[in-house]
Tab-separated table of all heavy atoms in Angstrom:
chain	number	residue	atom	x	y	z
A	756	ARG	N	0.810	-1.226	0.000
A	756	ARG	CA	0.000	0.000	0.000
A	756	ARG	C	0.837	1.267	0.000
A	756	ARG	O	0.472	2.236	-0.660
A	756	ARG	CB	-0.937	0.014	1.206
A	756	ARG	CG	-2.127	-0.896	1.079
A	756	ARG	CD	-3.225	-0.607	2.105
A	756	ARG	NE	-2.745	-0.414	3.460
A	756	ARG	CZ	-2.483	-1.382	4.343
A	756	ARG	NH1	-2.652	-2.639	3.988
A	756	ARG	NH2	-2.075	-1.112	5.562
A	757	ILE	N	1.934	1.292	0.758
A	757	ILE	CA	2.631	2.566	0.935
A	757	ILE	C	4.099	2.562	0.541
A	757	ILE	O	4.735	3.597	0.570
A	757	ILE	CB	2.498	3.077	2.382
A	757	ILE	CG1	3.237	2.153	3.319
A	757	ILE	CG2	1.078	3.246	2.804
A	757	ILE	CD1	3.759	2.884	4.511
A	758	GLY	N	4.670	1.424	0.221
A	758	GLY	CA	6.094	1.360	-0.087
A	758	GLY	C	6.894	0.999	1.153
A	758	GLY	O	6.350	0.871	2.237
A	759	PRO	N	8.209	0.849	0.979
A	759	PRO	CA	9.054	0.355	2.074
A	759	PRO	C	9.357	1.421	3.125
A	759	PRO	O	9.307	2.615	2.849
A	759	PRO	CB	10.324	-0.066	1.357
A	759	PRO	CG	10.388	0.815	0.160
A	759	PRO	CD	8.957	1.036	-0.256
A	760	PRO	N	9.724	0.966	4.333
A	760	PRO	CA	10.178	1.883	5.376
A	760	PRO	C	11.645	2.239	5.144
A	760	PRO	O	12.292	1.674	4.261
A	760	PRO	CB	10.039	1.035	6.641
A	760	PRO	CG	10.389	-0.339	6.157
A	760	PRO	CD	9.763	-0.425	4.775
A	761	ARG	N	12.170	3.131	5.965
A	761	ARG	CA	13.594	3.463	5.887
A	761	ARG	C	14.457	2.344	6.459
A	761	ARG	O	15.615	2.199	6.083
A	761	ARG	CB	13.860	4.770	6.617
A	761	ARG	CG	13.258	5.951	5.858
A	761	ARG	CD	13.259	7.250	6.614
A	761	ARG	NE	14.514	7.555	7.285
A	761	ARG	CZ	14.620	8.500	8.206
A	761	ARG	NH1	13.572	9.204	8.557
A	761	ARG	NH2	15.782	8.741	8.781
A	762	ALA	N	13.898	1.549	7.393
A	762	ALA	CA	14.633	0.434	8.002
A	762	ALA	C	13.625	-0.520	8.625
A	762	ALA	O	12.462	-0.158	8.844
A	762	ALA	CB	15.605	0.939	9.064
A	763	ALA	N	14.073	-1.748	8.906
A	763	ALA	CA	13.187	-2.735	9.526
A	763	ALA	C	13.986	-3.647	10.443
A	763	ALA	O	15.141	-3.968	10.159
A	763	ALA	CB	12.481	-3.574	8.466
A	764	ALA	N	13.352	-4.054	11.533
A	764	ALA	CA	13.895	-5.068	12.430
A	764	ALA	C	12.942	-6.256	12.333
A	764	ALA	O	11.760	-6.148	12.655
A	764	ALA	CB	13.986	-4.553	13.856
A	765	ILE	N	13.438	-7.364	11.854
A	765	ILE	CA	12.629	-8.529	11.517
A	765	ILE	C	12.988	-9.698	12.424
A	765	ILE	O	14.145	-10.146	12.437
A	765	ILE	CB	12.873	-8.941	10.042
A	765	ILE	CG1	12.633	-7.768	9.078
A	765	ILE	CG2	12.054	-10.165	9.675
A	765	ILE	CD1	11.208	-7.267	9.022
A	766	ASP	N	12.017	-10.201	13.177
A	766	ASP	CA	12.233	-11.398	13.986
A	766	ASP	C	12.328	-12.598	13.052
A	766	ASP	O	11.402	-12.855	12.267
A	766	ASP	CB	11.077	-11.572	14.976
A	766	ASP	CG	11.197	-12.868	15.746
A	766	ASP	OD1	12.161	-13.015	16.513
A	766	ASP	OD2	10.313	-13.731	15.569
A	767	ALA	N	13.436	-13.313	13.110
A	767	ALA	CA	13.682	-14.426	12.191
A	767	ALA	C	12.615	-15.511	12.302
A	767	ALA	O	12.178	-16.067	11.292
A	767	ALA	CB	15.065	-15.018	12.442
A	768	TRP	N	12.200	-15.824	13.514
A	768	TRP	CA	11.193	-16.871	13.703
A	768	TRP	C	9.860	-16.465	13.065
A	768	TRP	O	9.233	-17.247	12.364
A	768	TRP	CB	11.016	-17.148	15.194
A	768	TRP	CG	9.998	-18.193	15.471
A	768	TRP	CD1	8.701	-17.998	15.855
A	768	TRP	CD2	10.150	-19.607	15.346
A	768	TRP	NE1	8.054	-19.193	15.999
A	768	TRP	CE2	8.925	-20.208	15.687
A	768	TRP	CE3	11.221	-20.421	14.988
A	768	TRP	CZ2	8.738	-21.578	15.671
A	768	TRP	CZ3	11.028	-21.799	14.983
A	768	TRP	CH2	9.800	-22.355	15.312
A	769	THR	N	9.443	-15.228	13.296
A	769	THR	CA	8.176	-14.731	12.746
A	769	THR	C	8.219	-14.715	11.222
A	769	THR	O	7.216	-15.015	10.564
A	769	THR	CB	7.880	-13.317	13.279
A	769	THR	OG1	7.868	-13.345	14.707
A	769	THR	CG2	6.542	-12.796	12.788
A	770	ALA	N	9.361	-14.382	10.651
A	770	ALA	CA	9.499	-14.231	9.199
A	770	ALA	C	9.709	-15.552	8.471
A	770	ALA	O	9.661	-15.582	7.239
A	770	ALA	CB	10.671	-13.308	8.892
A	771	GLN	N	9.925	-16.622	9.208
A	771	GLN	CA	10.274	-17.911	8.608
A	771	GLN	C	9.325	-18.277	7.466
A	771	GLN	O	8.113	-18.303	7.623
A	771	GLN	CB	10.252	-18.996	9.673
A	771	GLN	CG	11.041	-20.199	9.313
A	771	GLN	CD	11.282	-21.077	10.531
A	771	GLN	OE1	10.623	-20.967	11.551
A	771	GLN	NE2	12.236	-21.969	10.420
A	772	GLY	N	9.916	-18.540	6.287
A	772	GLY	CA	9.141	-18.894	5.102
A	772	GLY	C	8.760	-17.697	4.245
A	772	GLY	O	8.314	-17.863	3.110
A	773	SER	N	8.949	-16.482	4.756
A	773	SER	CA	8.602	-15.269	4.009
A	773	SER	C	9.810	-14.371	3.768
A	773	SER	O	9.661	-13.216	3.376
A	773	SER	CB	7.543	-14.462	4.782
A	773	SER	OG	6.360	-15.208	4.948
A	774	GLU	N	10.994	-14.893	3.986
A	774	GLU	CA	12.200	-14.077	3.886
A	774	GLU	C	12.341	-13.402	2.520
A	774	GLU	O	12.616	-12.205	2.444
A	774	GLU	CB	13.456	-14.918	4.165
A	774	GLU	CG	13.537	-15.466	5.567
A	774	GLU	CD	12.910	-16.847	5.739
A	774	GLU	OE1	12.187	-17.311	4.817
A	774	GLU	OE2	13.141	-17.465	6.794
A	775	ARG	N	12.167	-14.152	1.473
A	775	ARG	CA	12.344	-13.611	0.117
A	775	ARG	C	11.332	-12.503	-0.177
A	775	ARG	O	11.684	-11.459	-0.721
A	775	ARG	CB	12.241	-14.728	-0.920
A	775	ARG	CG	12.580	-14.282	-2.335
A	775	ARG	CD	12.742	-15.445	-3.298
A	775	ARG	NE	13.749	-16.410	-2.894
A	775	ARG	CZ	15.064	-16.254	-3.032
A	775	ARG	NH1	15.529	-15.145	-3.536
A	775	ARG	NH2	15.911	-17.186	-2.648
A	776	GLU	N	10.090	-12.706	0.209
A	776	GLU	CA	9.060	-11.683	-0.032
A	776	GLU	C	9.333	-10.417	0.785
A	776	GLU	O	9.157	-9.304	0.289
A	776	GLU	CB	7.666	-12.227	0.308
A	776	GLU	CG	7.186	-13.319	-0.619
A	776	GLU	CD	7.704	-14.714	-0.234
A	776	GLU	OE1	8.392	-14.861	0.796
A	776	GLU	OE2	7.444	-15.647	-0.998
A	777	ILE	N	9.772	-10.611	2.025
A	777	ILE	CA	10.087	-9.450	2.875
A	777	ILE	C	11.255	-8.683	2.283
A	777	ILE	O	11.209	-7.449	2.177
A	777	ILE	CB	10.371	-9.893	4.324
A	777	ILE	CG1	9.074	-10.391	4.980
A	777	ILE	CG2	10.968	-8.737	5.133
A	777	ILE	CD1	9.276	-11.093	6.306
A	778	ARG	N	12.291	-9.395	1.860
A	778	ARG	CA	13.450	-8.724	1.263
A	778	ARG	C	13.057	-7.986	-0.010
A	778	ARG	O	13.531	-6.887	-0.284
A	778	ARG	CB	14.556	-9.736	0.977
A	778	ARG	CG	15.817	-9.098	0.449
A	778	ARG	CD	16.329	-8.070	1.427
A	778	ARG	NE	17.687	-7.683	1.076
A	778	ARG	CZ	18.297	-6.644	1.575
A	778	ARG	NH1	17.696	-5.867	2.454
A	778	ARG	NH2	19.515	-6.349	1.217
A	779	GLY	N	12.161	-8.558	-0.784
A	779	GLY	CA	11.685	-7.884	-1.993
A	779	GLY	C	10.923	-6.606	-1.686
A	779	GLY	O	11.008	-5.624	-2.418
A	780	ALA	N	10.197	-6.608	-0.587
A	780	ALA	CA	9.406	-5.438	-0.195
A	780	ALA	C	10.238	-4.383	0.515
A	780	ALA	O	9.903	-3.200	0.501
A	780	ALA	CB	8.243	-5.865	0.707
A	781	ILE	N	11.333	-4.813	1.160
A	781	ILE	CA	12.210	-3.897	1.901
A	781	ILE	C	13.629	-4.112	1.367
A	781	ILE	O	14.370	-4.955	1.874
A	781	ILE	CB	12.140	-4.155	3.420
A	781	ILE	CG1	10.695	-4.082	3.910
A	781	ILE	CG2	13.025	-3.151	4.169
A	781	ILE	CD1	10.509	-4.520	5.344
A	782	PRO	N	14.011	-3.361	0.346
A	782	PRO	CA	15.277	-3.630	-0.330
A	782	PRO	C	16.534	-3.145	0.393
A	782	PRO	O	17.630	-3.362	-0.087
A	782	PRO	CB	15.109	-2.905	-1.664
A	782	PRO	CG	14.129	-1.828	-1.395
A	782	PRO	CD	13.212	-2.348	-0.332
A	783	TRP	N	16.382	-2.491	1.518
A	783	TRP	CA	17.553	-1.978	2.231
A	783	TRP	C	17.363	-2.080	3.728
A	783	TRP	O	16.288	-2.312	4.235
A	783	TRP	CB	17.808	-0.514	1.857
A	783	TRP	CG	16.581	0.328	2.006
A	783	TRP	CD1	16.017	0.785	3.168
A	783	TRP	CD2	15.716	0.775	0.973
A	783	TRP	NE1	14.875	1.493	2.915
A	783	TRP	CE2	14.656	1.509	1.577
A	783	TRP	CE3	15.725	0.630	-0.410
A	783	TRP	CZ2	13.633	2.098	0.850
A	783	TRP	CZ3	14.695	1.213	-1.131
A	783	TRP	CH2	13.676	1.933	-0.503
A	784	ARG	N	18.390	-1.917	4.458
A	784	ARG	CA	18.481	-1.747	5.908
A	784	ARG	C	17.535	-2.641	6.735
A	784	ARG	O	16.718	-2.154	7.490
A	784	ARG	CB	18.272	-0.306	6.287
A	784	ARG	CG	19.020	0.026	7.568
A	784	ARG	CD	19.527	1.441	7.538
A	784	ARG	NE	20.334	1.717	8.676
A	784	ARG	CZ	21.636	1.906	8.630
A	784	ARG	NH1	22.271	1.818	7.508
A	784	ARG	NH2	22.302	2.177	9.709
A	785	ILE	N	17.716	-3.932	6.565
A	785	ILE	CA	16.998	-4.898	7.398
A	785	ILE	C	17.968	-5.417	8.464
A	785	ILE	O	19.099	-5.785	8.154
A	785	ILE	CB	16.475	-6.098	6.577
A	785	ILE	CG1	15.355	-5.656	5.646
A	785	ILE	CG2	16.001	-7.217	7.504
A	785	ILE	CD1	14.829	-6.776	4.757
A	786	THR	N	17.513	-5.427	9.706
A	786	THR	CA	18.235	-6.089	10.786
A	786	THR	C	17.404	-7.286	11.211
A	786	THR	O	16.213	-7.149	11.492
A	786	THR	CB	18.434	-5.147	11.994
A	786	THR	OG1	19.226	-4.031	11.571
A	786	THR	CG2	19.136	-5.863	13.138
């Protein structure tokens, strides 16, 4: 809906199985 944030903190367990989609949506500054 709005585009990516300036940065993101991603819990690995919560993101499990969606890593590629999250990286595609947030192309920079992921912790």
Side-chain angles (χ1 to χ4, degrees):
R756 284 195 315 276
I757 67 150
R761 290 170 46 194
I765 305 295
D766 175 65
W768 179 260
T769 304
Q771 201 165 17
S773 299
E774 296 91 347
R775 187 169 303 282
E776 292 84 3
I777 291 169
R778 184 58 167 167
I781 305 172
W783 51 75
R784 209 146 186 110
I785 291 177
T786 298

